[in-house]
């Protein structure tokens, strides 16, 4: 019995060992690669294959995962460095690189450390591009500067299996003396714009005042013209009315003068006017008027009646 028990225990122990070995072998052979990640497999120290996302198999104890490369876009800071512009101004510039691995094989075997290599290349390229520009252009054309740096880096980094998607300059720090000069320049520019705007405002105000005065004079002239026209029309109508009244009065007087009562009224009125005329002459003149039969009131009335009779006969 003891012998059988020992044989059974040995048999079970062998199967347990085999099971453990199988599990270890399967665990080493089966590899689950995460999304946007690549495993570079080496066999006997030499590149064998690249495993992409999903379920993959390798030969345990023969194959091994030499490198793990992420295929996601990665951001790396570019350390601050000095650069000299074309007009000999020293600047301190730093930036950010956005890198993506396109070929894991080249990223592992084409360069020792692709991040360090690309960062150094970005620094040297940035210094070269800044040296082609003047100080003012580095601030105004930052976008074109970023594009030029990306293009130069990608051209040099093709053997490394990586691509620089973007390069962004974070800060450009010129010397303090240059900053003070730029501040004075901007202040002068703002004062210049303020003076120009003020003068434009004064000019527009003068134009508006002149336009208002012009319109006021035009309106006043039109009002005066209308007033003169209305006054002239009123005077004409008054003259016409007076003339009509005088004509009507003369017509009435002429009609009445033909009658006997009219003749007597005319004689009486002429006698009164003659007497008033002599009285006025006597008051205003130093000449003494002596009575004369030829100049008496009766003679004057007689002469006037003779004239009236002659006129009446000529009309008849």
């Amino acid at each position: 019995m003891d012998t059988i028990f020992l044989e059974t225990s040995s048999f079970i122990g062998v199967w347990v060992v085999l099971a453990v070995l199988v599990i270890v072998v399967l665990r080493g052979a089966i590899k689950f690669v995460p999304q946007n990640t690549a495993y570079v497999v080496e066999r006997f120290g030499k590149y064998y294959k690249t495993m992409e996302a999903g379920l993959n198999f390798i030969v345990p104890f023969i194959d091994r995962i030499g490198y793990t490369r992420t295929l996601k876009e990665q951001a790396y800071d570019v350390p601050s460095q000095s650069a000299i512009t074309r007009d000999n101004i020293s600047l301190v510039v730093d930036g950010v690189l956005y890198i993506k691995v396109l070929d894991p094989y080249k990223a592992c075997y084409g360069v020792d450390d692709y991040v360090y290599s690309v960062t150094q290349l970005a620094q040297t390229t940035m210094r070269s591009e800044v040296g082609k520009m003047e100080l003012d252009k580095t601030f105004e054309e930052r976008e074109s500067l970023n594009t030029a740096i990306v293009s130069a880096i990608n051209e040099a980094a093709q053997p490394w299996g990586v691509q620089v998607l973007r390069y962004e300059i974070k800060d450009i720090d010129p010397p303090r003396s240059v900053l003070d000069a730029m501040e004075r320049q901007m202040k002068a520019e703002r004062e210049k714009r303020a003076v120009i705007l003020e003068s434009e405002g004064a000019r527009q105000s003068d134009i508006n005042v002149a336009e208002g005065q012009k319109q006021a004079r035009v309106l006043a002239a039109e009002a005066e013209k209308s007033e003169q026209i209305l006054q002239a029309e009123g005077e004409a109508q008054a003259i016409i009315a007076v003339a009509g009244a005088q004509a009507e009065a003369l017509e009435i007087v002429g009609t009445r003068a033909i009658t006997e009562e009219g003749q007597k009224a005319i004689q009486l009125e002429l006698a009164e006017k003659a007497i008033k005329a002599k009285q006025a002459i006597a008051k205003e003149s130093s000449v003494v008027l002596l009575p004369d039969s030829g100049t008496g009131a009766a003679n004057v009335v007689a002469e006037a009646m003779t004239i009236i009779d002659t006129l009446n006969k000529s009309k008849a």
Side-chain angles (χ1 to χ4, degrees), residues 28 204 251:
Q204 190 64 38
E251 184 179 358

Side-chain angles (χ1 to χ4, degrees), residues 20 28-29 31 40 84 98 106 137 148 175 192 260 290 297:
V20 170
K31 297 294 180 183
V40 177
I84 299 177
Y98 296 87
K106 292 182 180 180
K137 294 297 182 180
K192 174 184 175 182
E260 183 177 356
L290 298 176

Side-chain angles (χ1 to χ4, degrees), residues 123-156:
Q123 288 181 321
T124 56
T125 305
M126 188 273 298
R127 283 195 296 266
S128 176
E129 293 296 329
V130 169
K132 299 177 183 178
M133 297 183 177
E134 296 181 354
L135 177 62
D136 294 337
K137 294 297 182 180
T138 58
F139 294 100
E140 297 174 1
E141 301 182 3
R142 182 175 294 191
E143 188 65 29
S144 62
L145 181 61
N146 293 337
T147 303
I149 294 174
V150 169
S151 177
I153 295 175
N154 284 331
E155 184 178 355

Side-chain angles (χ1 to χ4, degrees), residues 70 72-79 95-100 114-116 118-119 167:
T70 178
K72 300 177 183 179
E73 183 177 347
Q74 305 168 76
Y76 297 97
D77 286 328
V78 178
V96 180
L97 272 175
Y98 296 87
I99 307 173
K100 185 175 183 180
Y114 69 90
V115 175
Y116 175 78
V118 172
T119 302
Y167 177 82

